[in-house]
Amino acid sequence: MAPKKKISSTKQSPQAATISSSPSLKTTAALVTIFLFITALSLAALGVVTLPLPAPAQGKHAGKVPSGVYDWQPKPLKGEWALNERLLKAERLFEGHIHGSESVAVGLEGELVMLDRTNAVYEATPDGAGGYKLQPQPIAQLGAGRPLGFHFDPEGHLVVADSLKGLLRYSYYDSQSKDITLLTTHVSASSPIDPGSQITYANDLAIASDGTIYFTSSTDIVPQLNQHGYYDTYRAWLLSMMQGQPQGRLLRYDPNTKETHVLAKGFYYANGVALSADESFAVLAETDRIRVHKVWLKGPKAGQTEVLIDNLPGLPDGVDAAADGGFWISLVAPAPPFKSLLLSKMLSNPLVRALYARLKPDLKAWGAVVKVSRYRHAALLHKALL
């Protein structure tokens, strides 16, 4: 009997046909996804589409950023900017007892006053041996909010920049009333700039000899209460950077007229502020452009703004006047060289920033103090980095 002839057929089962064609479908889907992503990037870069930001920035969008804003070129940490351990020699006070005090105010009798991140007021008095004794319990509670900068005014009131409320005044030395007064929440209608606008994020302040208060507002994103029970200014800063809009301002509050005027605007997160010894200009930190400005208050340059120092090796935060007429600038995080890492174009794209805004990255623990002169731009007199 002759062997049966094998008959082959080109017809495949439905399952086989599906399996053999799936790689092609996956490739097509991948190409379509890439095409759509590149299209979205291009449209976002052109400003054709706007992308929403998450809470607490509801209703706000990651917008187009002008060229150069995020082209950070921080000074390298070498030479006169080399890392050192000078800050490690500083004495740490009240560690583990006070959390999140952004400033220290020195009272009339040499006491130290601090506000923690929950608006609790703490006091430490001189112990007679060159140190300080911290009172075990807060001496006051200023209510819901997040205090940042604060100083005593010439009358002994504690003035506080509260990122949630605005500008507060606490009658620190009035043992009977202990009044808390809300000084300002809006720009006055008489202000030449931004009349009637809300002060959404008061940050730092400096008080002149006549009691005039100069203060910064950083952004239009209000901090939100987090799961730890305090208002999260770090999250608000990150979303402000991802929004990419220059909402920072320098303002002046006149205690006599009770009016608030905007003196300068257009900063990418206005932060620390201090006055020169003769009070002719204010020094203001612009965190998201790693630089510090001089804003002239008096004289022929009044109303003008110029850069005091730029391309700092870290993100500038607080600013304080030094005894010799210069200024101390604190840096809270190292500044990555966006330009050399080709990240500047990515950060300039609203889609990338909108996606990054949904992450919650932590800042690496890092600190620095830089001393600059008032007379020459970028004149570094002293530095201490940790």
Side-chain angles (χ1 to χ4, degrees):
M1 183 174 174
K4 291 183 180 179
K5 188 186 249 185
K6 271 189 186 177
I7 300 174
S8 63
S9 172
T10 57
K11 185 177 180 181
Q12 296 176 313
S13 67
Q15 181 180 9
T18 302
I19 293 174
S20 64
S21 63
S22 61
S24 176
L25 289 175
K26 288 181 179 179
T27 302
T28 302
L31 291 173
V32 169
T33 301
I34 294 172
F35 171 77
L36 291 175
F37 183 72
I38 293 174
T39 302
L41 281 175
S42 302
L43 292 174
L46 294 172
V48 176
V49 295
T50 56
L51 301 152
L53 294 173
Q58 303 96 322
K60 303 187 186 304
H61 298 77
K64 187 177 180 181
V65 175
S67 175
V69 171
Y70 291 138
D71 286 350
W72 291 0
Q73 300 181 63
K75 292 177 172 61
L77 295 172
K78 59 183 181 180
E80 64 176 2
W81 293 91
L83 292 171
N84 60 68
E85 297 183 347
R86 291 173 185 152
L87 283 182
L88 294 178
K89 301 176 182 178
E91 181 183 358
R92 294 174 181 261
L93 300 176
F94 325 127
E95 191 171 12
H97 297 282
I98 300 176
H99 302 282
S101 184
E102 288 263 335
S103 186
V104 178
V106 181
L108 299 176
E109 299 176 359
E111 67 271 33
L112 304 181
V113 178
M114 295 143 286
L115 276 69
D116 74 2
R117 60 195 180 194
T118 67
N119 242 347
V121 183
Y122 286 85
E123 180 184 79
T125 54
D127 62 6
Y132 293 90
K133 180 181 179 180
L134 178 68
Q135 300 300 315
Q137 299 297 326
I139 63 172
Q141 170 59 244
L142 304 186
R146 178 58 169 102
L148 295 175
F150 50 89
H151 290 290
F152 283 104
D153 69 11
E155 297 180 353
H157 299 111
L158 186 66
V159 182
V160 181
D162 188 307
S163 62
L164 188 69
K165 297 176 180 176
L167 212 58
L168 307 178
R169 184 179 65 198
Y170 171 56
S171 299
Y172 181 82
Y173 289 105
D174 190 337
S175 59
Q176 294 182 346
S177 67
K178 294 293 184 182
D179 287 338
I180 302 172
T181 305
L182 185 58
L183 298 179
T184 180
T185 61
H186 287 75
V187 177
S188 300
S190 58
S191 174
I193 305 173
D194 294 345
S197 59
Q198 185 178 3
I199 301 166
T200 52
Y201 192 126
N203 192 319
D204 196 19
L205 60 86
I207 304 177
S209 56
D210 64 357
T212 301
I213 303 167
Y214 296 90
F215 66 103
T216 55
S217 67
S218 300
T219 176
D220 60 354
I221 297 174
V222 181
Q224 188 177 56
L225 194 66
N226 64 16
Q227 69 270 27
H228 304 295
Y230 62 89
Y231 289 89
D232 193 345
T233 52
Y234 167 69
R235 179 67 177 159
W237 163 76
L238 180 65
L239 290 173
S240 176
M241 187 176 183
M242 297 305 102
Q243 181 182 212
Q245 299 301 311
Q247 303 286 355
R249 302 184 292 185
L250 175 67
L251 304 96
R252 179 187 64 214
Y253 175 78
D254 188 327
N256 297 315
T257 65
K258 295 181 171 39
E259 291 194 330
T260 302
H261 286 193
V262 176
L263 303 181
K265 61 182 293 186
F267 302 105
Y268 286 86
Y269 201 85
N271 206 325
V273 63
L275 293 175
S276 62
D278 61 1
E279 301 179 356
S280 63
F281 65 86
V283 168
L284 178 150
E286 187 181 19
T287 300
D288 290 351
R289 298 205 65 180
I290 56 172
R291 63 187 184 179
V292 174
H293 298 268
K294 291 170 70 173
V295 181
W296 289 94
L297 308 172
K298 301 176 182 178
K301 290 185 177 181
Q304 298 181 28
T305 299
E306 59 190 65
V307 175
L308 173 65
I309 184 170
D310 59 2
N311 297 324
L312 288 165
L315 275 63
D317 189 342
V319 179
D320 278 297
D324 62 0
F327 297 92
W328 294 103
I329 303 168
S330 65
L331 308 178
V332 295
F338 286 156
K339 193 175 184 67
S340 62
L341 293 176
L342 300 178
L343 292 176
S344 63
K345 289 187 177 180
M346 293 180 64
L347 278 176
S348 297
N349 191 291
L351 178 59
V352 173
R353 296 202 314 278
L355 294 174
Y356 189 76
R358 281 154 176 79
L359 304 176
K360 296 183 179 180
D362 292 326
L363 282 179
K364 180 182 178 182
W366 189 89
V369 177
V370 173
K371 177 78 174 297
V372 297
S373 167
R374 63 160 291 178
Y375 301 107
R376 292 184 299 157
H377 294 185
L380 180 67
L381 303 182
H382 176 74
K383 61 202 173 301
L385 294 98
L386 173 62

